[in-house]
Amino acid sequence: MTETPPVRTTRPRQVRPATEGWSQKKDAEGRPLLQFASPKRGKPPVHLADMTPAERVAKATELGLPGYRAKQIAAHYFSRYTSDPAAMTDLPAAGREELVGGLLPPLLTEVRRLQTDGGDTIKFLWKLHDGALVESVLMRYPGRITLCVSSQAGCGMNCPFCATGQAGLTRNMSAAEIVDQIVRANAVIAAGELGGKKSTDHSLERVSNIVFMGMGEPLANYARVMQAVRVMVAKQPEGLGMSARGITVSTVGLVPAITKLANEDIPVTFALSLHAPDDTLRDELIPVNSRWKVDEALDAARGYFERTGRRVSIEYALIKDMNDHGWRADLLAEKLNARGRGWVHVNPIPLNPTPGSIWTASDRDVQNEFVRRLNAAGIPTTLRDTRGKEIDGACGQLVATADDERAAAGA
């Protein structure tokens, strides 16, 4: 009689998070350092987009002109995307430059732009007033134009797989520095410098969607991000006249700020960058998980849905042999379904490679299996398109390089 050999089961390969090509900053106890407070640096000049409409009127009066001139300047900036006094011929010539300079001081200097995807994706490198560098990415899709904006120069969340966090947090950006990325992008679109629009596309030629997924942790710069959002949704000419539903605010899981955002009564789309459903891995992958665990972040996300009625997005970077295992898809589905149905959508994103790292995206069949398991469990799941990889403009790739710094020195 022949004995049947035992069935051998192999455990899935588990890669542990570790930085490659750079060293993670640690605190005195050896834990990844988290920076919530912005380092002290010179503040950017106060700009019209930092002010309420009443404050703009007061500023114009302070500059010796009738308050209604502030509304005229706002119309030029938010509707015609210009800060050039020469273009504002409806303002009196006498004192025009002083008035415009007082309300629209220069904030962003364009250092360079890179294009890919047939001209449909542009990455901008901006230099701020103090020399800090930030990036934003403009993308045309059928029926919409999306801008990925930065909210901080650098980032203090210290995630080992993200290029932006390698240099730590330089400083928070002002509300106007955030808004100016949109105005400058709209000027580029108006000048016909974004890739071709198809004849069947009847969408407006301006930024329609914002994702706070550029440099920085948006909720660590809460007050300025929310001021920027208020300006985005304010009707023209007081703001950009955008739909709150087209604005996505993301976070790696700052739980108290998620709750605060839910109570703002501005129905933006909320995205939680989860990347692992288990605390064992997420503690290493997302250092802020040492403060607020997976279940706390998911509870806060569910609370956002209950308060606003807006479906939450779960962002999940699929990293080969690290967080892409089938059992993790099952665990994620279990945790999401435990909090109800119909409140969440999962966006797996194949990891975008960063300089100096050997980490890579999951194999295609593994990606498909991860998505299949979530969908089979009743969780709406869509593998997200990644744009701008060739110009290091995709998610997790935004970082000011030594080459950028050399270019900025000459700008």
Side-chain angles (χ1 to χ4, degrees), residues 65-89:
L65 288 169
Y68 70 84
R69 296 295 186 191
K71 194 167 186 177
Q72 288 177 286
I73 292 176
H76 283 288
Y77 183 68
F78 292 124
S79 302
R80 302 179 186 95
Y81 319 126
T82 184
S83 300
D84 181 7
M88 303 181 190
T89 54

Side-chain angles (χ1 to χ4, degrees), residues 382-404:
T382 308
L383 193 68
R384 204 165 86 188
D385 176 33
T386 55
R387 295 277 292 270
K389 287 187 288 187
E390 297 81 2
I391 55 173
D392 291 335
C395 294
Q397 290 186 315
L398 301 187
V399 63
T401 64
D403 187 39
D404 290 336

Side-chain angles (χ1 to χ4, degrees), residues 235-316:
K235 293 181 180 179
Q236 292 179 324
E238 302 293 359
L240 285 164
M242 300 181 71
S243 167
R245 294 173 182 271
I247 299 168
T248 298
V249 177
S250 68
T251 180
V252 291
L254 279 62
V255 167
I258 297 171
T259 302
K260 193 173 179 181
L261 181 67
N263 293 320
E264 287 284 354
D265 201 27
I266 302 176
V268 297
T269 298
F270 171 67
L272 174 63
S273 296
L274 192 68
H275 306 313
D278 54 305
D279 288 320
T280 301
L281 177 59
R282 197 170 193 266
D283 281 348
E284 300 176 57
L285 200 57
I286 309 290
V288 81
N289 205 67
S290 63
R291 298 281 188 96
W292 299 287
K293 298 299 185 182
V294 169
D295 286 329
E296 293 175 274
L298 291 177
D299 285 345
R302 171 68 196 194
Y304 186 87
F305 168 77
E306 291 175 352
R307 180 72 177 81
T308 65
R310 300 282 291 134
R311 190 171 67 165
V312 170
S313 291
I314 300 292
E315 308 295 314
Y316 197 106

